């Protein structure tokens, strides 16, 4: 297979090596990234909420989760998964970080890991406890691999194996998630539910079981992601109008909820997100 791995130019902050996702994993894996970083001292970062689920395979020192605005999992972690988080997190590391990151979509958690998203939502969990395929044997092989392309080849084989033996999704849940994502969170949930043919209670319950949060919460999270990007080029009032917020005050409240910052502070900090990591 031809690999279109891309390298970021050397610069302060993380050096990222991005790997093209296999077509078989489309809709389940959003991106795969090699991450190398060295710093003169401790690095503290805030991670804003997002709809992608990071699977982190550590090839170096551990990462400290210092604070979570929602959920559980504060403490020191090596290889871990952070379930869908409707809030922000603060992390730190001492002077270096080396890891391979797999960014799953909410559908990818159930389909590849064989777990309902509800079990991982708002939690940071050691990866080997989620699926033994990500245990010490895999980490040893990744560490012994001579370069990122070889590591990516190994991860591709692992993910394709998980796909072959994974847990099926309820089709209407996958359809609902794709409509929410494609609309930027602006689709009317009541209309989506009506189109499934199921009751609102059943459709919302099954969606939350697979994705980890209900459809309305998922729409709010996706809407925040898109609005956060748009704020870099548009006034807050216009972003609020375009992305379905009741008014500018509603936008400010949602940005604070998901990022811990005001819109102006969010723009000024330019935090690393899953979407910026995968490019």
């Amino acid at each position: 297979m031809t690999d279109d791995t891309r390298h970021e130019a050397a610069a302060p902050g993380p050096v990222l090596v991005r790997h093209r996702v296999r077509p078989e994993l489309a809709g389940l894996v959003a991106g795969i990234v090699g991450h190398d970083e060295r710093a003169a001292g401790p690095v503290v970062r805030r991670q804003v909420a997002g709809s992608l689920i990071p699977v982190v395979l550590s090839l170096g020192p551990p990462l400290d989760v210092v604070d979570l605005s929602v959920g559980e999992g504060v403490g020191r972690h090596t290889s871990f998964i952070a379930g869908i988080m409707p809030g922000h997190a603060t992390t730190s590391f001492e002077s270096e970080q080396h890891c391979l990151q797999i960014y799953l979509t909410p559908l990818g958690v159930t389909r590849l890991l064989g777990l309902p998203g509800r079990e991982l939502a708002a939690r940071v969990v050691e990866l080997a406890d989620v699926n033994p395929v990500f245990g010490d044997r895999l980490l040893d092989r990744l560490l012994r691999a001579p370069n990122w392309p070889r590591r990516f080849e190994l991860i591709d084989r692992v993910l394709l194996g998980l796909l072959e033996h994974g847990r099926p999704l309820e089709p209407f849940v996958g359809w609902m998630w794709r409509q929410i994502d494609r609309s930027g969170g602006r689709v009317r949930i009541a209309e989506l539910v009506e189109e499934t043919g199921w009751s609102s209670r059943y459709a919302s319950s099954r969606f939350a079981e697979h994705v980890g949060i209900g459809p309305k919460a998922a729409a709010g999270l996706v809407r925040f992601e898109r609005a956060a990007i748009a704020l870099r080029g548009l006034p807050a009032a216009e972003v609020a109008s375009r992305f379905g917020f009741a008014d500018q005050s509603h936008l400010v409240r949602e940005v604070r909820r998901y990022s811990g910052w005001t819109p102006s502070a969010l723009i000024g900090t330019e935090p690393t997100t899953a979407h910026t990591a995968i490019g």
Side-chain angles (χ1 to χ4, degrees), residues 52-83:
L52 298 182
I53 292 89
V55 175
V56 179
L57 290 150
S58 177
L59 306 176
L63 181 76
D64 289 317
V65 177
V66 179
D67 182 63
L68 294 167
S69 69
V70 176
E72 59 185 58
V74 169
R76 179 156 292 186
H77 297 276
T78 50
S79 296
F80 63 90
I81 180 170

Short mmCIF file of all heavy atoms in Angstrom, two decimals, residues 52-83:
data_model
loop_
_atom_site.label_atom_id
_atom_site.label_comp_id
_atom_site.label_asym_id
_atom_site.label_seq_id
_atom_site.Cartn_x
_atom_site.Cartn_y
_atom_site.Cartn_z
N LEU A 52 -14.41 13.57 18.59
CA LEU A 52 -13.53 12.44 18.29
C LEU A 52 -12.93 11.89 19.57
O LEU A 52 -12.68 12.62 20.52
CB LEU A 52 -12.42 12.87 17.32
CG LEU A 52 -12.89 13.36 15.96
CD1 LEU A 52 -11.68 13.70 15.07
CD2 LEU A 52 -13.76 12.32 15.26
N ILE A 53 -12.70 10.59 19.58
CA ILE A 53 -12.25 9.89 20.77
C ILE A 53 -10.79 9.49 20.59
O ILE A 53 -10.47 8.67 19.72
CB ILE A 53 -13.12 8.65 21.03
CG1 ILE A 53 -14.54 9.07 21.43
CG2 ILE A 53 -12.54 7.78 22.14
CD1 ILE A 53 -15.48 9.24 20.29
N PRO A 54 -9.86 10.05 21.39
CA PRO A 54 -8.44 9.74 21.23
C PRO A 54 -8.07 8.41 21.91
O PRO A 54 -8.40 8.18 23.07
CB PRO A 54 -7.73 10.91 21.91
CG PRO A 54 -8.71 11.39 22.93
CD PRO A 54 -10.07 11.13 22.39
N VAL A 55 -7.37 7.58 21.15
CA VAL A 55 -6.74 6.37 21.68
C VAL A 55 -5.24 6.65 21.65
O VAL A 55 -4.68 6.86 20.58
CB VAL A 55 -7.08 5.14 20.82
CG1 VAL A 55 -6.32 3.91 21.30
CG2 VAL A 55 -8.58 4.88 20.83
N VAL A 56 -4.60 6.68 22.80
CA VAL A 56 -3.21 7.09 22.91
C VAL A 56 -2.35 5.90 23.31
O VAL A 56 -2.53 5.33 24.39
CB VAL A 56 -3.04 8.24 23.93
CG1 VAL A 56 -1.58 8.64 24.05
CG2 VAL A 56 -3.89 9.44 23.51
N LEU A 57 -1.41 5.53 22.44
CA LEU A 57 -0.46 4.47 22.71
C LEU A 57 0.87 5.12 23.04
O LEU A 57 1.52 5.73 22.19
CB LEU A 57 -0.32 3.55 21.50
CG LEU A 57 -1.56 2.69 21.22
CD1 LEU A 57 -1.70 2.40 19.75
CD2 LEU A 57 -1.48 1.40 22.00
N SER A 58 1.29 5.02 24.30
CA SER A 58 2.47 5.73 24.77
C SER A 58 3.75 5.03 24.35
O SER A 58 3.91 3.83 24.55
CB SER A 58 2.42 5.87 26.29
OG SER A 58 3.59 6.51 26.75
N LEU A 59 4.68 5.80 23.80
CA LEU A 59 6.01 5.32 23.45
C LEU A 59 7.07 6.03 24.29
O LEU A 59 8.25 6.01 23.95
CB LEU A 59 6.27 5.55 21.96
CG LEU A 59 5.22 4.98 21.00
CD1 LEU A 59 5.54 5.36 19.57
CD2 LEU A 59 5.11 3.47 21.14
N GLY A 60 6.63 6.67 25.36
CA GLY A 60 7.55 7.44 26.19
C GLY A 60 6.97 7.67 27.57
O GLY A 60 6.20 6.86 28.07
N PRO A 61 7.31 8.80 28.20
CA PRO A 61 6.84 9.09 29.55
C PRO A 61 5.32 9.21 29.61
O PRO A 61 4.66 9.45 28.60
CB PRO A 61 7.51 10.43 29.88
CG PRO A 61 8.66 10.52 28.94
CD PRO A 61 8.23 9.83 27.69
N PRO A 62 4.75 9.07 30.82
CA PRO A 62 3.30 9.17 30.96
C PRO A 62 2.81 10.61 30.84
O PRO A 62 3.58 11.56 30.86
CB PRO A 62 3.06 8.64 32.39
CG PRO A 62 4.34 8.91 33.10
CD PRO A 62 5.43 8.75 32.08
N LEU A 63 1.49 10.72 30.72
CA LEU A 63 0.81 12.01 30.65
C LEU A 63 -0.07 12.14 31.89
O LEU A 63 -0.74 11.18 32.28
CB LEU A 63 -0.05 12.08 29.39
CG LEU A 63 -0.81 13.39 29.15
CD1 LEU A 63 0.14 14.46 28.66
CD2 LEU A 63 -1.93 13.16 28.12
N ASP A 64 -0.06 13.30 32.49
CA ASP A 64 -0.91 13.55 33.65
C ASP A 64 -2.19 14.26 33.21
O ASP A 64 -2.13 15.30 32.55
CB ASP A 64 -0.19 14.42 34.68
CG ASP A 64 0.93 13.68 35.38
OD1 ASP A 64 0.71 12.52 35.75
OD2 ASP A 64 2.02 14.26 35.53
N VAL A 65 -3.32 13.70 33.57
CA VAL A 65 -4.60 14.39 33.42
C VAL A 65 -4.82 15.14 34.73
O VAL A 65 -5.10 14.54 35.78
CB VAL A 65 -5.75 13.41 33.14
CG1 VAL A 65 -7.08 14.16 33.06
CG2 VAL A 65 -5.49 12.65 31.83
N VAL A 66 -4.66 16.45 34.67
CA VAL A 66 -4.66 17.28 35.88
C VAL A 66 -6.07 17.62 36.31
O VAL A 66 -6.38 17.68 37.51
CB VAL A 66 -3.85 18.57 35.62
CG1 VAL A 66 -3.87 19.47 36.85
CG2 VAL A 66 -2.42 18.23 35.23
N ASP A 67 -6.96 17.84 35.34
CA ASP A 67 -8.31 18.27 35.69
C ASP A 67 -9.27 17.91 34.56
O ASP A 67 -8.89 17.92 33.37
CB ASP A 67 -8.35 19.78 35.93
CG ASP A 67 -9.73 20.27 36.34
OD1 ASP A 67 -10.21 19.84 37.40
OD2 ASP A 67 -10.33 21.06 35.58
N LEU A 68 -10.50 17.57 34.93
CA LEU A 68 -11.58 17.32 33.97
C LEU A 68 -12.79 18.13 34.42
O LEU A 68 -13.22 18.02 35.57
CB LEU A 68 -11.95 15.83 33.94
CG LEU A 68 -10.89 14.86 33.40
CD1 LEU A 68 -11.29 13.43 33.72
CD2 LEU A 68 -10.72 15.04 31.90
N SER A 69 -13.35 18.92 33.51
CA SER A 69 -14.54 19.69 33.88
C SER A 69 -15.76 18.78 33.97
O SER A 69 -16.74 19.10 34.66
CB SER A 69 -14.80 20.82 32.87
OG SER A 69 -15.19 20.29 31.62
N VAL A 70 -15.70 17.65 33.28
CA VAL A 70 -16.77 16.64 33.30
C VAL A 70 -16.12 15.27 33.34
O VAL A 70 -15.13 15.04 32.65
CB VAL A 70 -17.67 16.75 32.05
CG1 VAL A 70 -18.71 15.64 32.05
CG2 VAL A 70 -18.35 18.11 31.98
N GLY A 71 -16.65 14.36 34.13
CA GLY A 71 -16.20 12.99 34.08
C GLY A 71 -15.14 12.62 35.09
O GLY A 71 -14.90 13.34 36.06
N GLU A 72 -14.46 11.49 34.83
CA GLU A 72 -13.49 10.94 35.76
C GLU A 72 -12.28 10.41 35.02
O GLU A 72 -12.35 10.08 33.83
CB GLU A 72 -14.13 9.81 36.58
CG GLU A 72 -14.66 8.66 35.74
CD GLU A 72 -15.39 7.62 36.58
OE1 GLU A 72 -16.36 8.00 37.25
OE2 GLU A 72 -15.00 6.44 36.55
N GLY A 73 -11.16 10.33 35.74
CA GLY A 73 -9.94 9.83 35.14
C GLY A 73 -8.73 10.71 35.42
O GLY A 73 -7.69 10.55 34.79
N VAL A 74 -8.87 11.63 36.37
CA VAL A 74 -7.72 12.47 36.75
C VAL A 74 -6.63 11.55 37.31
O VAL A 74 -6.89 10.63 38.09
CB VAL A 74 -8.14 13.51 37.80
CG1 VAL A 74 -6.93 14.20 38.41
CG2 VAL A 74 -9.08 14.53 37.18
N GLY A 75 -5.39 11.80 36.90
CA GLY A 75 -4.27 11.00 37.36
C GLY A 75 -3.25 10.79 36.27
O GLY A 75 -3.33 11.39 35.20
N ARG A 76 -2.28 9.92 36.52
CA ARG A 76 -1.19 9.66 35.56
C ARG A 76 -1.57 8.48 34.67
O ARG A 76 -2.03 7.45 35.15
CB ARG A 76 0.10 9.37 36.32
CG ARG A 76 1.29 9.06 35.43
CD ARG A 76 2.59 9.37 36.14
NE ARG A 76 2.75 10.82 36.33
CZ ARG A 76 3.85 11.38 36.81
NH1 ARG A 76 4.87 10.62 37.19
NH2 ARG A 76 3.94 12.69 36.94
N HIS A 77 -1.37 8.66 33.35
CA HIS A 77 -1.75 7.64 32.38
C HIS A 77 -0.61 7.40 31.39
O HIS A 77 0.12 8.32 31.04
CB HIS A 77 -3.00 8.08 31.62
CG HIS A 77 -4.21 8.25 32.48
ND1 HIS A 77 -5.03 7.22 32.83
CD2 HIS A 77 -4.73 9.36 33.08
CE1 HIS A 77 -6.01 7.66 33.60
NE2 HIS A 77 -5.85 8.96 33.77
N THR A 78 -0.51 6.17 30.95
CA THR A 78 0.43 5.83 29.88
C THR A 78 -0.38 5.67 28.59
O THR A 78 -0.65 6.65 27.90
CB THR A 78 1.22 4.57 30.23
OG1 THR A 78 0.33 3.52 30.63
CG2 THR A 78 2.20 4.84 31.36
N SER A 79 -0.80 4.46 28.27
CA SER A 79 -1.67 4.26 27.11
C SER A 79 -3.11 4.26 27.59
O SER A 79 -3.46 3.55 28.53
CB SER A 79 -1.33 2.93 26.42
OG SER A 79 -0.02 2.97 25.90
N PHE A 80 -3.96 5.06 26.92
CA PHE A 80 -5.32 5.24 27.43
C PHE A 80 -6.27 5.63 26.31
O PHE A 80 -5.86 5.97 25.20
CB PHE A 80 -5.34 6.32 28.52
CG PHE A 80 -4.93 7.69 28.04
CD1 PHE A 80 -5.86 8.59 27.56
CD2 PHE A 80 -3.58 8.07 28.06
CE1 PHE A 80 -5.48 9.85 27.10
CE2 PHE A 80 -3.19 9.33 27.61
CZ PHE A 80 -4.15 10.22 27.13
N ILE A 81 -7.55 5.58 26.62
CA ILE A 81 -8.59 6.12 25.75
C ILE A 81 -9.41 7.10 26.57
O ILE A 81 -9.70 6.86 27.74
CB ILE A 81 -9.48 5.00 25.15
CG1 ILE A 81 -10.56 5.61 24.24
CG2 ILE A 81 -10.10 4.14 26.25
CD1 ILE A 81 -11.32 4.57 23.44
N ALA A 82 -9.76 8.22 25.96
CA ALA A 82 -10.64 9.20 26.60
C ALA A 82 -11.96 9.17 25.85
O ALA A 82 -12.03 9.57 24.69
CB ALA A 82 -10.02 10.59 26.56
N GLY A 83 -12.99 8.63 26.50
CA GLY A 83 -14.30 8.56 25.87
C GLY A 83 -14.83 9.93 25.51
O GLY A 83 -14.27 10.95 25.92
#
